[in-house]
Amino acid sequence: MSKTLFDKIWDKHIVKHKEGHPDPLFIDRHFIHEVTSPQAFDGLKKRGIGVFNTSRTTATADHNVPTKDQHLPIKEALSRHQVETLRKNCKEFGVELYDLGHPFQGIVHIIGPELGLTLPGMTIVCGDSHTSTHGAFGTIAFGIGTSEVEQVLATQCILQYKPKRMKIEINGPLSKGVLAKDIILYIISKISSSGATGYFVEYAGDTIENLSMEARMTICNMSIEMGARGGLIAPDATTFDYIKGKKFAPQGVELNKKIEQWKTLKSDEDATFDKVLTFDASDIGPMITYGTNPGMGIKITDRIPTPEELKDISEQPSFIKSLNYMGLEPGSQLLGKHIDYVFIGSCTNARIEDLRLVASIVKGKKKAEGVEVWIVPGSKQVEDQARKEGLDKIFEAAGFELRSPGCSACLGMNEDKIPAGKYCISTSNRNFEGRQGPQSRTFLASPLSAAAAAITGRVTDVRELIANEKLTMAN
Amino acid sequence: MKEKFNTIKSTAVPLPNENVDTDQIIPARFLKATTREGFGENLFRDWRYDSNNQLVQDFILNNPSFNGKILVAGKNFGCGSSREHAAWALYDYGFRVVVSSFFADIFINNALNNGLLPVVVSDQFLQTISKGISANSSTPITVNLENQTISFEGKKETFDINPYKKSCMINGYDDIDYLLSLTEDIKQFDLQQS
Ligand code: SF4
């Protein structure tokens, strides 16, 4: 029987089927971090058991770490305690930890791929919903809660029911200035923040096939923002090239053998999906969100809808509440709107390619007066690479601050918070109320749009800035 | 071993907002604890308190006439982050049931793993209960897990729950107990992986 890629990977990972019980899904790779793991380790201690297979778990400190002076002890007592607890637990249970200052430290979803720990055909989980990022390599990767982290530590398995399968196909060339971030914000704006709840998504079509690995990760990363459990993309030559030479990836003959296996990882031609959506890439422009969930997005040149224009009028009260929170008028334009902060970071857009794109826009320019710009690289390796390429000099000259790696203002757990009432254009993935700090207001956009706003101090159509410049879009 | 879940008859708190995400349920800055307890204090923190730490009087949880073990939420409750802290906070605050017409996936799992029952009802029934308790906060809701029914003012709906999860809730078991019984099979499976 023909199968989807998702089914192929899933079915291969069921340890044992027992009637009346959910299937135990074997997990190849487990990532943990300081925030959602302490209670799981406590659970193991209470039961008096160890970690099932330590070689399958990797830890890092990212969610709650400072992005300045990382070499000093963490100032905030609770954050320090959380990171120290992770250290203690990893030591006690024998789990590899990429701690602050380690050359491999970084946001958990950035370091997995760049270290070659994320490989096609795997099942991957982490106590963080953006685990879907790893799906870009043709893996089943999804976020779990702490009880499930405990399950995986204890048994290397998780009890799961199979989600439904959805295919999202995008075809056609992308226009200039349009990035992967715009593609995914566009899709979410079309199907809403719950449009894929209950599904696992496979992204396909030539637009996707032409994307770099970094861009594919951006797309898969935000699958959760439309409610999907995760998203994946069939691996191809682009994937294999990316993996080649990565620290923990197979090498030489071993790699070639693997690649032959990985080539079979695709949905059969006649495989059926529970739902198929198709989009035309030529309709996608630079996107921005105006509200307090990622589905509330528009083309940067469009105006904010009015409550009357909503398809579902039952959503009017939430919609109005959201615009009030954002301090925005229904029907108004975002273009030209003044902004206070620019955050370039997070597991969505803090890879080297993102930093290069930002640098390409700001080179030789200065940030607008009164705007604060934070660039928080996704990992130590990204930071080192940026310095090697001299991007730090470009940022510095522009008045941007290049910080040390971590989740930072993506979730505002450390001190990197956007102050109340201020507007931040952010390359992260969530614009929820208070996500970037109490009463903060977030516009989600691509790294190019964020960079453009940093220069002008306003929401800007990046295509105007690049109109006269030769810019090679890596997409 | 978790608390066993039987029938719950309780008054309820209506919170009809749609798309309530886990960042609202428990903001990230309160995720710094390394134990499971005490999160109830910061449940809906930024809705319950203003920036000066004063109670927001018109927020429903601050209204003394509304209380009980059941939260009647709006559509797409629990979306966003996978933080289990959201379920812990609701439980720690005293809720045992959340009613909505639609829940986010991860939230359902997290709730069920922590003795908090998510009950999915029709949009219409949700409206009825939500309006009913808003008008008269002393009217109780009854949730019977064994029969999978929820009743309010003589009206009744049945709800779906996975049979395995149901028996876990009723008996106070959790998933690890089951998985640990498979340890030998899992070890074999692990060895066969390349
Ligand atoms: S960067 Fe943001 S979304 Fe990504 S792992 Fe960190 S907190 Fe989660």
Side-chain angles (χ1 to χ4, degrees), chain A residues 16-92:
Chain A
K16 189 181 190 175
H17 180 74
K18 191 168 156 195
E19 227 20 70
H21 286 73
D23 285 333
L25 188 72
F26 186 83
I27 300 301
D28 295 312
R29 176 87 41 223
H30 185 201
F31 293 106
I32 61 171
H33 60 84
E34 74 277 26
V35 177
T36 56
S37 69
Q39 294 87 351
F41 280 112
D42 269 358
L44 296 187
K45 286 178 210 164
K46 278 193 195 129
R47 290 173 200 263
I49 51 180
V51 171
F52 186 87
N53 179 348
T54 49
S55 71
R56 293 191 181 274
T57 297
T58 307
T60 192
D62 58 357
H63 278 62
N64 199 359
V65 301
T67 54
K68 275 175 143 176
D69 295 329
Q70 276 187 350
H71 60 289
L72 299 176
I74 301 175
K75 281 196 217 115
E76 216 255 338
L78 288 171
S79 306
R80 192 172 60 238
H81 177 65
Q82 221 168 28
V83 174
E84 277 166 3
T85 306
L86 180 71
R87 260 172 222 153
K88 251 198 277 169
N89 284 330
C90 286
K91 204 162 162 211
E92 184 178 338

Side-chain angles (χ1 to χ4, degrees), chain A residues 163-462:
Chain A
K164 289 181 281 184
R165 274 76 79 203
M166 181 190 285
K167 178 156 90 166
I168 298 185
E169 208 178 305
I170 308 140
N171 290 301
L174 285 173
S175 3
K176 198 171 168 182
V178 177
L179 301 182
K181 182 64 162 286
D182 300 305
I183 302 179
I184 192 68
L185 284 174
Y186 174 88
I187 297 173
I188 304 169
S189 78
K190 292 284 178 202
I191 74 171
S192 94
S193 63
S194 59
T197 302
Y199 290 89
F200 213 99
V201 176
E202 177 174 345
Y203 300 96
D206 57 41
T207 314
I208 299 291
E209 285 159 23
N210 289 329
L211 295 176
S212 68
M213 281 320 290
E214 281 86 350
R216 293 180 192 184
M217 285 188 250
T218 302
I219 303 248
C220 290
N221 174 277
M222 288 191 72
S223 306
I224 180 77
E225 305 312 335
M226 47 188 168
R229 214 56 229 285
L232 80 175
I233 296 172
D236 59 12
T238 309
T239 322
F240 310 145
D241 283 346
Y242 178 97
I243 292 169
K244 212 171 281 171
K246 294 283 181 288
K247 176 85 181 158
F248 298 111
Q251 321 275 345
V253 193
E254 193 51 33
L255 178 65
N256 293 338
K257 266 211 300 230
K258 280 281 177 199
I259 289 179
E260 286 314 307
Q261 287 174 19
W262 293 339
K263 282 183 182 161
T264 64
L265 291 171
K266 51 179 158 220
S267 292
D268 295 327
E269 292 272 344
D270 51 349
T272 46
F273 290 82
D274 300 286
K275 197 168 183 177
V276 178
L277 300 174
T278 315
F279 297 101
D280 177 1
S282 67
D283 187 45
I284 307 175
M287 296 286 297
I288 190 162
T289 65
Y290 58 87
T292 53
N293 76 58
M296 300 174 84
I298 48 173
K299 284 184 194 156
I300 212 161
T301 46
D302 281 351
R303 51 174 188 76
I304 300 169
T306 60
E308 295 72 37
E309 287 167 341
L310 295 182
K311 269 191 242 133
D312 181 355
I313 55 161
S314 76
E315 283 176 5
Q316 284 184 358
S318 312
F319 178 83
I320 293 166
K321 179 172 177 281
S322 177
L323 284 195
N324 281 342
Y325 178 88
M326 292 296 291
L328 296 171
E329 287 298 320
S332 67
Q333 280 249 320
L334 271 186
L335 215 53
K337 169 100 194 143
H338 158 89
I339 48 129
D340 307 289
Y341 284 77
V342 177
F343 173 63
I344 293 165
S346 90
C347 56
T348 314
N349 282 122
R351 284 170 280 271
I352 189 66
E353 191 178 281
D354 301 309
L355 268 49
R356 285 183 193 137
L357 281 167
V358 172
S360 72
I361 290 280
V362 307
K363 192 169 184 180
K365 299 196 181 72
K366 273 213 160 351
K367 73 177 173 80
E369 191 91 16
V371 176
E372 187 135 356
V373 188
W374 299 338
I375 302 196
V376 182
S379 70
K380 200 77 195 135
Q381 290 204 63
V382 171
E383 184 189 341
D384 293 346
Q385 183 65 26
R387 291 189 193 281
K388 215 162 98 190
E389 294 179 18
L391 305 185
D392 55 326
K393 299 280 169 342
I394 297 174
F395 296 145
E396 207 176 293
F400 294 10
E401 207 180 326
L402 179 64
R403 297 189 164 202
S404 299
C407 294
S408 180
C410 172
L411 86 167
M413 238 187 123
N414 68 354
E415 44 285 289
D416 305 347
K417 292 184 179 63
I418 307 304
K422 297 290 182 196
Y423 289 98
C424 175
I425 186 161
S426 175
T427 67
S428 55
N429 42 55
R430 286 188 173 141
N431 49 358
F432 298 152
E433 281 185 29
R435 170 86 178 179
Q436 298 197 285
Q439 302 295 316
S440 61
R441 291 157 161 172
T442 305
F443 298 131
L444 299 176
S446 80
L448 280 181
S449 298
I455 300 302
T456 61
R458 300 181 179 279
V459 173
T460 301
D461 184 349
V462 67

Side-chain angles (χ1 to χ4, degrees), chain B residues 17-53:
Chain B
N17 309 31
E18 291 183 358
N19 302 316
V20 170
D21 58 75
T22 52
D23 274 79
Q24 308 317 314
I25 301 173
I26 180 98
R29 58 187 197 283
F30 301 112
L31 305 185
K32 298 185 184 188
T34 52
T35 59
R36 285 176 191 241
E37 292 77 33
F39 287 100
E41 219 174 287
N42 295 313
L43 176 70
F44 295 117
R45 178 74 198 197
D46 293 338
W47 289 351
R48 270 161 74 199
Y49 297 91
D50 65 16
S51 40
N52 300 318
N53 258 333

Side-chain angles (χ1 to χ4, degrees), chain B residues 1-115:
Chain B
M1 197 69 176
K2 305 245 145 67
E3 200 178 305
K4 294 182 185 178
F5 192 106
N6 288 309
T7 295
I8 281 186
K9 181 175 182 179
S10 166
T11 52
V13 182
L15 185 72
N17 309 31
E18 291 183 358
N19 302 316
V20 170
D21 58 75
T22 52
D23 274 79
Q24 308 317 314
I25 301 173
I26 180 98
R29 58 187 197 283
F30 301 112
L31 305 185
K32 298 185 184 188
T34 52
T35 59
R36 285 176 191 241
E37 292 77 33
F39 287 100
E41 219 174 287
N42 295 313
L43 176 70
F44 295 117
R45 178 74 198 197
D46 293 338
W47 289 351
R48 270 161 74 199
Y49 297 91
D50 65 16
S51 40
N52 300 318
N53 258 333
Q54 298 299 310
L55 278 187
V56 175
Q57 293 302 344
D58 60 0
F59 182 57
I60 196 86
L61 285 189
N62 293 335
N63 183 336
S65 34
F66 290 99
N67 50 52
K69 293 183 177 173
I70 301 174
L71 180 70
V72 179
K75 202 158 77 183
N76 200 22
F77 186 82
C79 56
S81 149
S82 61
R83 60 187 68 157
E84 194 161 315
H85 311 67
W88 299 338
L90 288 159
Y91 190 93
D92 193 53
Y93 187 85
F95 291 118
R96 293 295 175 269
V97 177
V98 187
V99 186
S100 173
S101 56
F102 192 92
F103 288 99
D105 275 348
I106 305 184
F107 179 80
I108 293 191
N109 271 339
N110 285 343
L112 287 168
N113 281 338
N114 288 282

